[in-house]
Amino acid sequence: MQFLTGLITRSPWGLQALIYVTAALLIICIGLGVTVEIQSARLDAAKARQDVLGDKLATQNRAVTIWKAEADKQAQRVKEAAKKAERVRTVTVERVRTVTVAAIPPACPDAVKWGAEHALEFNKRWEDEE
């Protein structure tokens, strides 16, 4: 190493080349330092964007969870309403069938009398079915 240093410093060309190489290395180091600073700033900006996007994503996920829970509740209410509607339909069909198969007198005054006599019976049976 001393031999190389001695050879370079003895010649004016060698000393000039050493100065140029040193200056070039200094310029490269400064350029790399600037590049590191720029990349560091970009990294900070990207981290900030990532945090904002993460917060937005978490908010959306919470909203989706709430919407899904509401949809599940709505689906359960639909099932219950369908069951209730089926029970009402079945009871209504039975009530209509009871009246349509009953031996109602054809004459209007007799039919009214028959209806009055059986009204309490039908009403009690219909209230019990509910």
Side-chain angles (χ1 to χ4, degrees), residues 56-91:
K56 286 181 180 180
L57 183 61
T59 301
Q60 285 180 344
N61 285 343
R62 282 191 299 274
V64 167
T65 301
I66 291 169
W67 290 340
K68 186 174 182 209
E70 287 300 318
D72 291 343
K73 288 178 189 176
Q74 186 68 20
Q76 186 61 33
R77 285 193 293 262
V78 166
K79 287 179 184 178
E80 290 171 7
K83 287 178 185 178
K84 186 176 180 179
E86 181 59 25
R87 283 193 308 266
V88 168
R89 188 191 68 75
T90 303
V91 168

Side-chain angles (χ1 to χ4, degrees), residues 14 27 35 82 85 94:
I27 291 172
T35 301
E94 284 300 317

